[in-house]
Amino acid sequence: MSTLLNETHHPALRSWLASAQTPGGDFPIQNLPFAVFRRQGSDEAFRGGVALGDQIVDLAALARTGLVTGEAAAALQAGAQDRLNALMALGPTAWSALRLALSRLLREGAAGADTVATCLVPQAQAEFTVPARIGDYTDFYTSVHHATNIGKQFRPDNPLLPNYKWVPIGYHGRASSIGVSGQRFHRPVGQTLPPGATEPVFGPCRRLDIELELGVFLGQGNELGEPIAMDDAEQHVFGLCLLNDWSARDIQAWEYQPLGPFLSKNFATTISPWIVTLDALAPYRTGFERPAGDPQPLAYLDSAANRQEGAFDIQLDVGLQTPAMRSAGLAPASICRTSYRHAYWTLAQMVTHHTVNGCNLQPGDLLGSGTLSGPTLDQAGALIELTQGGKQPVTLPQGEQRVYLEDGDSVVLRGWCEKAGAARIGFGACEGSILPARTL
Ligand code: MN
């Protein structure tokens, strides 16, 4: 499953588009993430695009130039559609061929650069949509730190349930309410049990929270009844996006036993428009290991490649902006910084476990990583952890405080990878904001 480094990753590679070289930018020529877009306010068809600097390479326009040939041309045609499912279904050889063709067309000195330049659309003039028809969405629970922090609030003496270190925990989520960055939704209403009460009340959620996650878009699926082995698992992963699994904690606390989350999670889930491919993330692979004394994964969840490089070092940040901050022109304030490398289960383990019983995954299916909290509380990816269940408010730049989200608040997730000897790449932004509850 190893993704080898190749000429598309070379840190010295430069594009003829100057903004691709912006220091600290998310979209250098080594990244080349995919989205689905059109010009804002237009009635154009949505189509696939690839980010470069502050521009989007319009894949439909590029396909019409005839500059891309061979296997990459078939991938380009698939990527020009109004959703990326067809491209996802083609598999990693096709994805890599398209990446190489794009890299060669977009680098300094490329033949055809003048023609490719006519296929650019400024990101600032684009609107995005959910990049695939998501047939099914499954949310995992892969951060042991999140599971422990949450468990402590409910079971101080026994925070981590005994299955956690053996089985990748997940539940089947809701695909229809997944939206792209910029999503606005009404504060959910529902049943909650007030502290000390014996009967529930019906009304607006009072403990509206975030969950900092990564989304995993599946590529080629598997036949019903045919599991995907660890050594093949990453061949089925198209790429990663940012994901905010908004959560109504008070509704969740009342409804979640015995079958798990339901209306506390399915009112909205926001993802970033850009999907960063596993190819692009190859320089940021890292080893997967278990702390001494923890059980090793069962054989079906273990592989040499997974141990050697099955984890990814992706930096993650959560920013919160209140209406008062917005009025004062203040940028979102960071309330959490962490890395994906702290996850207890890897991408490959999620895919293999999901299919071990014969469950079939399909192109465009989405997996959530679960809240990606790191080992310390300032690395916690949800307010319920950052505020210790509401006991320690988060203080923002103008002295405002938050326990949970209030109406008008906006949350922006960011992710990026950075290290010496490799190009910095990023995920762009995943932003969403809260409208008041509907009048009952
Ligand atoms: Mn979640």
Side-chain angles (χ1 to χ4, degrees), residues 31-50:
N31 192 352
L32 305 177
F34 290 84
V36 168
F37 80 102
R38 68 180 177 188
R39 284 184 180 79
Q40 258 165 33
S42 76
D43 58 1
E44 294 174 355
F46 280 102
R47 67 274 192 187
V50 165

Side-chain angles (χ1 to χ4, degrees), residues 11-25:
L13 205 56
R14 293 169 58 88
S15 171
W16 44 258
L17 181 72
S19 67
Q21 277 80 244
T22 303

Side-chain angles (χ1 to χ4, degrees), residues 137 139-141 146 171 211 213 243 245 247 265 369-371:
Y137 161 49
D139 198 21
F140 280 87
Y141 200 52
H146 173 68
Y171 70 96
E211 291 195 340
E213 305 195 18
L243 186 153
D245 179 22
S247 296
K265 301 274 192 173
S369 62
T371 309

Side-chain angles (χ1 to χ4, degrees), residues 49-363:
V50 165
L52 181 70
D54 60 4
Q55 303 288 309
I56 302 168
V57 182
D58 178 340
L59 296 185
L62 184 61
R64 289 191 292 270
T65 67
L67 283 169
V68 177
T69 56
E71 182 166 26
L76 179 60
Q77 288 290 350
Q81 296 184 20
D82 65 350
R83 292 290 190 274
L84 297 178
N85 298 67
L87 175 63
M88 291 165 168
L90 288 178
T93 309
W95 307 333
S96 296
L98 179 55
R99 173 179 169 86
L100 180 61
L102 290 170
S103 176
R104 287 179 175 171
L105 282 172
L106 296 170
R107 66 185 63 169
E108 272 180 346
D114 289 351
T115 306
V116 179
T118 66
C119 303
L120 299 179
V121 175
Q123 288 181 32
Q125 294 174 18
E127 61 180 321
F128 297 90
T129 190
V130 175
R133 279 179 299 275
I134 301 170
D136 280 298
Y137 161 49
T138 304
D139 198 21
F140 280 87
Y141 200 52
T142 66
S143 164
V144 70
H145 307 295
H146 173 68
T148 305
N149 292 340
I150 295 290
K152 269 181 191 159
Q153 295 187 19
F154 294 98
R155 299 175 301 274
D157 300 332
N158 181 28
L160 203 62
L161 292 171
N163 58 1
Y164 188 85
K165 293 183 175 181
W166 295 97
V167 58
I169 302 290
Y171 70 96
H172 284 122
R174 182 82 195 166
S176 65
S177 51
I178 297 172
V180 75
S181 185
Q183 190 173 21
R184 272 119 188 76
F185 59 89
H186 292 277
R187 174 180 298 274
V189 299
Q191 286 193 30
T192 62
L193 189 69
T198 54
E199 290 185 1
V201 297
F202 180 74
C205 163
R206 294 174 177 277
R207 300 173 70 196
L208 185 55
D209 201 353
I210 56 165
E211 291 195 340
L212 166 64
E213 305 195 18
L214 285 167
V216 183
F217 273 102
L218 273 297
Q220 286 173 314
N222 57 307
E223 292 298 321
L224 182 61
E226 298 293 331
I228 298 173
M230 280 293 285
D231 282 335
D232 302 325
E234 287 187 359
Q235 303 293 314
H236 295 262
V237 175
F238 179 72
L240 305 186
C241 64
L242 302 166
L243 186 153
N244 189 346
D245 179 22
W246 307 94
S247 296
R249 299 300 181 197
D250 44 359
I251 297 172
Q252 184 179 359
W254 174 235
E255 74 172 4
Y256 87 106
Q257 289 181 321
L259 286 185
F262 182 33
L263 302 185
S264 55
K265 301 274 192 173
N266 68 4
F267 54 91
T269 305
T270 309
I271 59 173
S272 60
W274 296 108
I275 307 172
V276 177
T277 63
L278 286 202
D279 258 351
L281 291 164
Y284 296 98
R285 287 178 171 280
T286 185
F288 162 81
E289 61 180 33
R290 282 285 159 79
D294 275 22
Q296 293 304 308
L298 294 179
Y300 82 97
L301 292 174
D302 186 32
S303 77
N306 191 61
R307 271 176 264 133
Q308 194 181 330
E309 54 169 18
F312 292 83
D313 190 15
I314 300 172
Q315 311 305 312
L316 298 164
D317 181 273
V318 180
L320 175 58
Q321 188 189 50
T322 67
M325 291 169 66
R326 199 171 308 123
S327 299
L330 294 176
S334 176
I335 58 171
C336 159
R337 272 289 307 276
T338 188
S339 165
Y340 183 43
R341 73 174 182 276
H342 300 302
Y344 199 79
W345 299 101
T346 63
L347 292 182
Q349 288 167 328
M350 284 195 279
V351 170
T352 293
H353 183 68
H354 203 310
T355 60
V356 72
N357 64 346
C359 174
N360 52 329
L361 300 175
Q362 303 185 88

